[in-house]
Amino acid sequence: MFISKSMTSKVITTHPRATLLEARDLLKAHNIRHLPVLGDDGRLAGIITDRDIRSALPAAFYRDDCPPPEGADFTQVTVGDVMTPDPMAISPQDTIEDALLQIQKMRVGAFPVVDDDGFLKGIISVRDLLRAFINVLGIEEPGTLLGIVVEEKVGQLKKIVDAITEENISFGSILVSRHWEADKRAVFAYLLTNSVGRIKRKLKELGFKLLDPMEWAMDRLPRHE
Amino acid sequence: MKRTGLLYDERFLKHLTGANHPEVPERLTAIYDGIRTRGLLDHLQVFPAQSAPRMWIETVHDRDYVDRFETACQDGSRTFESPDNQMCAETFEVALLAVGGILDVADRIVAGEIDNAFCAVRPPGHHAEKAKAMGFCYFNNVAVAATYLQTQWLIERVAIIDFDVHHGNGTQAIFEDDPTVFYYSIHQHPSFAYPGTGRAFEDGVQRGVGYTCNTTVLPGQGDDFYREAVEKDLRPAMTRFRPQVIIVSTGFDAHADDDMADVALSTAGYVWMIEEIMKLADTFADGKLISVLEGGYCLERLPELAADHVQALLQI
């Protein structure tokens, strides 16, 4: 899954000489939070966020569409004064996983996507990643999630997949996750069916334990620090 | 004692879903036997089904969709649109009978011939969308009934109360922008149950905002939680909306012994639920209540659940 397939390609941008008020209006008009800033050569020069603008403008002024009070000099503050220059960017050939890990590490809300020559190709935000995650989970299609606890040994997943396939049930997604018991794994199968009674009984007969959703808690997992 | 109708017709048994499918004709015979064995038939007015005119189906479903369904049946298809929707050559006719039977019951309730009724129909309906069959459902029985009450009988406000363990995505989608039909559903949390919709934040769209309400039940929760939900969500919603008729999507699959989901409502909890809904119907709708079967797959429990349900409707 490459960034180029998941990013927003039609990017709203600004330039360093635009005023903060213009940038504020752009964010508001498009209901977005990040504006890449392009230099005169068309290359990415910086990024400015709603938070940058909010910090630079008086609070009431940021919210309202009121005209600037006379003689207020902050109306002349430009995007170039406030933006983050040379921001962290990501390449269209990077992957969704790269973006997920980097966004978590850098604690930012979006990355501009820039090609090798420095030209802006798109923007990838937490919103885009959420959409990708929803697609991966398949949860916008009707289905039922089954959680199954398995011993950590080769061939377990095959048995589960075979049992479900024999019931003529399609998979929306299947995830294998760590379990709080070191020698176990949790398998989450999202099945595109309403009929789960039989398959649940069958899996139990095969010796698998169905995970009680109420027992499942991510914070019981050993942490990777 | 109420004057209660029972819609039951052996032709509903002709919809065959094939081997290993949970939505089987035996569900209906178990329900009917439970009611009969309890000795309730003497107190009930039993109505056979009649086929619904297509014009009423098409107030809810796209004409193309109805055509596709009919053609699939005629062509001998064994599933329709989703692998869950297994069927036979008779399924289309049976689905028309289910809707038509409910419309006939609606006529009788509006005319004051009976106060309320239990419609023991197959196939179920609440997952069926305007142009999509899923989750064992083809025509959205309760949605057509609600629309019929509004169109034929000029009833302004209809509430649909759905306590099947699964969310009625079809019913919600059909009425989510409509402030004249209130859809309330209590069901297992969509992260743990089919079809994955009906989250608590789904409360209608556009003009319909505030006329859809979803209560989600976590696995293992039962009677106490349902009681709280009725107090906290359902009763206030109905008090505001003041329905003139209440349609109930009755699913018996929230019972603790039903393995289609993990909610633990008891037999007594089911009686309490319908009694509470009847109180709402008495307060706002002159008692007018149409209960329509949706799910419920535990053949051992269905006789007592159905008999209790009907006995509660009769108030005997």
PDB file of all heavy atoms in Angstrom, chain B residues 239-260:
ATOM      1  N   THR B 239     -41.707   9.349  24.298  1.00  0.00           N
ATOM      2  CA  THR B 239     -42.465  10.432  24.928  1.00  0.00           C
ATOM      3  C   THR B 239     -42.369  11.702  24.082  1.00  0.00           C
ATOM      4  O   THR B 239     -43.338  12.447  23.943  1.00  0.00           O
ATOM      5  CB  THR B 239     -41.927  10.679  26.356  1.00  0.00           C
ATOM      6  OG1 THR B 239     -41.983   9.446  27.071  1.00  0.00           O
ATOM      7  CG2 THR B 239     -42.753  11.720  27.085  1.00  0.00           C
ATOM      8  N   ARG B 240     -41.212  11.904  23.500  1.00  0.00           N
ATOM      9  CA  ARG B 240     -41.042  13.062  22.624  1.00  0.00           C
ATOM     10  C   ARG B 240     -41.769  12.863  21.289  1.00  0.00           C
ATOM     11  O   ARG B 240     -42.400  13.763  20.768  1.00  0.00           O
ATOM     12  CB  ARG B 240     -39.546  13.295  22.341  1.00  0.00           C
ATOM     13  CG  ARG B 240     -38.945  14.478  23.072  1.00  0.00           C
ATOM     14  CD  ARG B 240     -37.486  14.666  22.672  1.00  0.00           C
ATOM     15  NE  ARG B 240     -36.661  13.524  23.060  1.00  0.00           N
ATOM     16  CZ  ARG B 240     -35.961  12.798  22.220  1.00  0.00           C
ATOM     17  NH1 ARG B 240     -35.948  13.065  20.933  1.00  0.00           N
ATOM     18  NH2 ARG B 240     -35.234  11.777  22.654  1.00  0.00           N
ATOM     19  N   PHE B 241     -41.663  11.636  20.763  1.00  0.00           N
ATOM     20  CA  PHE B 241     -42.146  11.386  19.392  1.00  0.00           C
ATOM     21  C   PHE B 241     -43.654  11.142  19.321  1.00  0.00           C
ATOM     22  O   PHE B 241     -44.309  11.477  18.348  1.00  0.00           O
ATOM     23  CB  PHE B 241     -41.392  10.172  18.816  1.00  0.00           C
ATOM     24  CG  PHE B 241     -41.753   9.837  17.396  1.00  0.00           C
ATOM     25  CD1 PHE B 241     -41.398  10.685  16.357  1.00  0.00           C
ATOM     26  CD2 PHE B 241     -42.448   8.680  17.090  1.00  0.00           C
ATOM     27  CE1 PHE B 241     -41.730  10.381  15.044  1.00  0.00           C
ATOM     28  CE2 PHE B 241     -42.782   8.357  15.791  1.00  0.00           C
ATOM     29  CZ  PHE B 241     -42.414   9.218  14.762  1.00  0.00           C
ATOM     30  N   ARG B 242     -44.213  10.560  20.368  1.00  0.00           N
ATOM     31  CA  ARG B 242     -45.649  10.239  20.438  1.00  0.00           C
ATOM     32  C   ARG B 242     -46.127   9.464  19.192  1.00  0.00           C
ATOM     33  O   ARG B 242     -46.926   9.977  18.395  1.00  0.00           O
ATOM     34  CB  ARG B 242     -46.485  11.521  20.640  1.00  0.00           C
ATOM     35  CG  ARG B 242     -46.193  12.191  21.988  1.00  0.00           C
ATOM     36  CD  ARG B 242     -47.010  13.444  22.189  1.00  0.00           C
ATOM     37  NE  ARG B 242     -46.728  14.439  21.169  1.00  0.00           N
ATOM     38  CZ  ARG B 242     -47.591  14.854  20.240  1.00  0.00           C
ATOM     39  NH1 ARG B 242     -48.808  14.367  20.207  1.00  0.00           N
ATOM     40  NH2 ARG B 242     -47.227  15.762  19.361  1.00  0.00           N
ATOM     41  N   PRO B 243     -45.667   8.224  19.045  1.00  0.00           N
ATOM     42  CA  PRO B 243     -46.078   7.438  17.873  1.00  0.00           C
ATOM     43  C   PRO B 243     -47.570   7.135  17.898  1.00  0.00           C
ATOM     44  O   PRO B 243     -48.150   6.966  18.973  1.00  0.00           O
ATOM     45  CB  PRO B 243     -45.273   6.144  18.021  1.00  0.00           C
ATOM     46  CG  PRO B 243     -45.011   6.029  19.487  1.00  0.00           C
ATOM     47  CD  PRO B 243     -44.835   7.435  19.974  1.00  0.00           C
ATOM     48  N   GLN B 244     -48.161   7.039  16.725  1.00  0.00           N
ATOM     49  CA  GLN B 244     -49.587   6.694  16.630  1.00  0.00           C
ATOM     50  C   GLN B 244     -49.779   5.199  16.425  1.00  0.00           C
ATOM     51  O   GLN B 244     -50.856   4.666  16.673  1.00  0.00           O
ATOM     52  CB  GLN B 244     -50.232   7.501  15.509  1.00  0.00           C
ATOM     53  CG  GLN B 244     -50.278   8.987  15.852  1.00  0.00           C
ATOM     54  CD  GLN B 244     -50.411   9.852  14.614  1.00  0.00           C
ATOM     55  OE1 GLN B 244     -49.515   9.888  13.770  1.00  0.00           O
ATOM     56  NE2 GLN B 244     -51.523  10.536  14.490  1.00  0.00           N
ATOM     57  N   VAL B 245     -48.745   4.536  15.925  1.00  0.00           N
ATOM     58  CA  VAL B 245     -48.720   3.067  15.851  1.00  0.00           C
ATOM     59  C   VAL B 245     -47.284   2.657  16.160  1.00  0.00           C
ATOM     60  O   VAL B 245     -46.339   3.351  15.765  1.00  0.00           O
ATOM     61  CB  VAL B 245     -49.106   2.545  14.441  1.00  0.00           C
ATOM     62  CG1 VAL B 245     -48.985   1.018  14.387  1.00  0.00           C
ATOM     63  CG2 VAL B 245     -50.511   2.971  14.042  1.00  0.00           C
ATOM     64  N   ILE B 246     -47.133   1.541  16.867  1.00  0.00           N
ATOM     65  CA  ILE B 246     -45.788   1.012  17.114  1.00  0.00           C
ATOM     66  C   ILE B 246     -45.648  -0.318  16.388  1.00  0.00           C
ATOM     67  O   ILE B 246     -46.491  -1.207  16.525  1.00  0.00           O
ATOM     68  CB  ILE B 246     -45.507   0.836  18.626  1.00  0.00           C
ATOM     69  CG1 ILE B 246     -45.447   2.214  19.311  1.00  0.00           C
ATOM     70  CG2 ILE B 246     -44.197   0.070  18.848  1.00  0.00           C
ATOM     71  CD1 ILE B 246     -45.194   2.161  20.806  1.00  0.00           C
ATOM     72  N   ILE B 247     -44.590  -0.417  15.584  1.00  0.00           N
ATOM     73  CA  ILE B 247     -44.241  -1.687  14.946  1.00  0.00           C
ATOM     74  C   ILE B 247     -43.011  -2.218  15.678  1.00  0.00           C
ATOM     75  O   ILE B 247     -42.074  -1.459  15.931  1.00  0.00           O
ATOM     76  CB  ILE B 247     -43.930  -1.498  13.450  1.00  0.00           C
ATOM     77  CG1 ILE B 247     -45.139  -0.874  12.732  1.00  0.00           C
ATOM     78  CG2 ILE B 247     -43.545  -2.825  12.806  1.00  0.00           C
ATOM     79  CD1 ILE B 247     -44.880  -0.566  11.258  1.00  0.00           C
ATOM     80  N   VAL B 248     -43.035  -3.486  16.034  1.00  0.00           N
ATOM     81  CA  VAL B 248     -41.905  -4.060  16.751  1.00  0.00           C
ATOM     82  C   VAL B 248     -41.206  -5.068  15.848  1.00  0.00           C
ATOM     83  O   VAL B 248     -41.843  -5.974  15.301  1.00  0.00           O
ATOM     84  CB  VAL B 248     -42.364  -4.758  18.052  1.00  0.00           C
ATOM     85  CG1 VAL B 248     -41.145  -5.233  18.851  1.00  0.00           C
ATOM     86  CG2 VAL B 248     -43.213  -3.824  18.897  1.00  0.00           C
ATOM     87  N   SER B 249     -39.898  -4.893  15.663  1.00  0.00           N
ATOM     88  CA  SER B 249     -39.085  -5.913  15.005  1.00  0.00           C
ATOM     89  C   SER B 249     -38.649  -6.873  16.098  1.00  0.00           C
ATOM     90  O   SER B 249     -37.752  -6.575  16.877  1.00  0.00           O
ATOM     91  CB  SER B 249     -37.867  -5.278  14.327  1.00  0.00           C
ATOM     92  OG  SER B 249     -38.135  -4.963  12.988  1.00  0.00           O
ATOM     93  N   THR B 250     -39.351  -8.018  16.161  1.00  0.00           N
ATOM     94  CA  THR B 250     -39.149  -8.953  17.255  1.00  0.00           C
ATOM     95  C   THR B 250     -38.138 -10.010  16.858  1.00  0.00           C
ATOM     96  O   THR B 250     -38.412 -10.857  16.008  1.00  0.00           O
ATOM     97  CB  THR B 250     -40.500  -9.608  17.627  1.00  0.00           C
ATOM     98  OG1 THR B 250     -41.359  -8.575  18.149  1.00  0.00           O
ATOM     99  CG2 THR B 250     -40.323 -10.695  18.674  1.00  0.00           C
ATOM    100  N   GLY B 251     -36.965  -9.925  17.458  1.00  0.00           N
ATOM    101  CA  GLY B 251     -35.959 -10.962  17.245  1.00  0.00           C
ATOM    102  C   GLY B 251     -35.723 -11.660  18.568  1.00  0.00           C
ATOM    103  O   GLY B 251     -35.516 -10.997  19.585  1.00  0.00           O
ATOM    104  N   PHE B 252     -35.766 -12.982  18.556  1.00  0.00           N
ATOM    105  CA  PHE B 252     -35.570 -13.728  19.807  1.00  0.00           C
ATOM    106  C   PHE B 252     -34.105 -14.158  19.976  1.00  0.00           C
ATOM    107  O   PHE B 252     -33.795 -14.993  20.807  1.00  0.00           O
ATOM    108  CB  PHE B 252     -36.499 -14.954  19.829  1.00  0.00           C
ATOM    109  CG  PHE B 252     -37.961 -14.595  19.930  1.00  0.00           C
ATOM    110  CD1 PHE B 252     -38.847 -14.931  18.910  1.00  0.00           C
ATOM    111  CD2 PHE B 252     -38.454 -13.914  21.040  1.00  0.00           C
ATOM    112  CE1 PHE B 252     -40.200 -14.614  18.998  1.00  0.00           C
ATOM    113  CE2 PHE B 252     -39.812 -13.585  21.141  1.00  0.00           C
ATOM    114  CZ  PHE B 252     -40.687 -13.930  20.119  1.00  0.00           C
ATOM    115  N   ASP B 253     -33.225 -13.578  19.163  1.00  0.00           N
ATOM    116  CA  ASP B 253     -31.827 -14.024  19.172  1.00  0.00           C
ATOM    117  C   ASP B 253     -30.943 -13.306  20.186  1.00  0.00           C
ATOM    118  O   ASP B 253     -29.747 -13.566  20.267  1.00  0.00           O
ATOM    119  CB  ASP B 253     -31.216 -13.922  17.759  1.00  0.00           C
ATOM    120  CG  ASP B 253     -31.591 -12.630  17.054  1.00  0.00           C
ATOM    121  OD1 ASP B 253     -32.206 -11.765  17.696  1.00  0.00           O
ATOM    122  OD2 ASP B 253     -31.263 -12.496  15.862  1.00  0.00           O
ATOM    123  N   ALA B 254     -31.537 -12.411  20.985  1.00  0.00           N
ATOM    124  CA  ALA B 254     -30.765 -11.826  22.081  1.00  0.00           C
ATOM    125  C   ALA B 254     -30.825 -12.727  23.315  1.00  0.00           C
ATOM    126  O   ALA B 254     -30.215 -12.432  24.339  1.00  0.00           O
ATOM    127  CB  ALA B 254     -31.293 -10.429  22.420  1.00  0.00           C
ATOM    128  N   HIS B 255     -31.580 -13.837  23.198  1.00  0.00           N
ATOM    129  CA  HIS B 255     -31.678 -14.753  24.329  1.00  0.00           C
ATOM    130  C   HIS B 255     -30.317 -15.383  24.640  1.00  0.00           C
ATOM    131  O   HIS B 255     -29.543 -15.672  23.722  1.00  0.00           O
ATOM    132  CB  HIS B 255     -32.705 -15.855  24.032  1.00  0.00           C
ATOM    133  CG  HIS B 255     -33.069 -16.643  25.253  1.00  0.00           C
ATOM    134  ND1 HIS B 255     -32.327 -17.707  25.692  1.00  0.00           N
ATOM    135  CD2 HIS B 255     -34.080 -16.481  26.148  1.00  0.00           C
ATOM    136  CE1 HIS B 255     -32.878 -18.190  26.806  1.00  0.00           C
ATOM    137  NE2 HIS B 255     -33.945 -17.455  27.101  1.00  0.00           N
ATOM    138  N   ALA B 256     -30.077 -15.587  25.912  1.00  0.00           N
ATOM    139  CA  ALA B 256     -28.786 -16.136  26.355  1.00  0.00           C
ATOM    140  C   ALA B 256     -28.442 -17.446  25.653  1.00  0.00           C
ATOM    141  O   ALA B 256     -27.266 -17.727  25.400  1.00  0.00           O
ATOM    142  CB  ALA B 256     -28.814 -16.333  27.866  1.00  0.00           C
ATOM    143  N   ASP B 257     -29.440 -18.255  25.317  1.00  0.00           N
ATOM    144  CA  ASP B 257     -29.163 -19.565  24.730  1.00  0.00           C
ATOM    145  C   ASP B 257     -29.034 -19.546  23.207  1.00  0.00           C
ATOM    146  O   ASP B 257     -28.811 -20.581  22.599  1.00  0.00           O
ATOM    147  CB  ASP B 257     -30.283 -20.557  25.107  1.00  0.00           C
ATOM    148  CG  ASP B 257     -30.265 -20.861  26.603  1.00  0.00           C
ATOM    149  OD1 ASP B 257     -29.256 -20.534  27.254  1.00  0.00           O
ATOM    150  OD2 ASP B 257     -31.271 -21.397  27.107  1.00  0.00           O
ATOM    151  N   ASP B 258     -29.206 -18.388  22.599  1.00  0.00           N
ATOM    152  CA  ASP B 258     -29.105 -18.302  21.135  1.00  0.00           C
ATOM    153  C   ASP B 258     -27.652 -18.025  20.770  1.00  0.00           C
ATOM    154  O   ASP B 258     -27.080 -17.027  21.209  1.00  0.00           O
ATOM    155  CB  ASP B 258     -30.021 -17.189  20.617  1.00  0.00           C
ATOM    156  CG  ASP B 258     -30.260 -17.301  19.126  1.00  0.00           C
ATOM    157  OD1 ASP B 258     -29.275 -17.339  18.366  1.00  0.00           O
ATOM    158  OD2 ASP B 258     -31.434 -17.347  18.708  1.00  0.00           O
ATOM    159  N   ASP B 259     -27.048 -18.901  19.970  1.00  0.00           N
ATOM    160  CA  ASP B 259     -25.607 -18.741  19.741  1.00  0.00           C
ATOM    161  C   ASP B 259     -25.263 -17.890  18.520  1.00  0.00           C
ATOM    162  O   ASP B 259     -24.119 -17.824  18.105  1.00  0.00           O
ATOM    163  CB  ASP B 259     -24.908 -20.108  19.675  1.00  0.00           C
ATOM    164  CG  ASP B 259     -25.354 -20.929  18.478  1.00  0.00           C
ATOM    165  OD1 ASP B 259     -26.127 -20.414  17.650  1.00  0.00           O
ATOM    166  OD2 ASP B 259     -24.921 -22.097  18.374  1.00  0.00           O
ATOM    167  N   MET B 260     -26.253 -17.195  17.976  1.00  0.00           N
ATOM    168  CA  MET B 260     -25.932 -16.274  16.872  1.00  0.00           C
ATOM    169  C   MET B 260     -25.230 -15.022  17.385  1.00  0.00           C
ATOM    170  O   MET B 260     -24.603 -14.297  16.629  1.00  0.00           O
ATOM    171  CB  MET B 260     -27.207 -15.873  16.137  1.00  0.00           C
ATOM    172  CG  MET B 260     -27.729 -16.988  15.265  1.00  0.00           C
ATOM    173  SD  MET B 260     -26.733 -17.232  13.782  1.00  0.00           S
ATOM    174  CE  MET B 260     -27.398 -15.934  12.744  1.00  0.00           C
TER     175      MET B 260
END
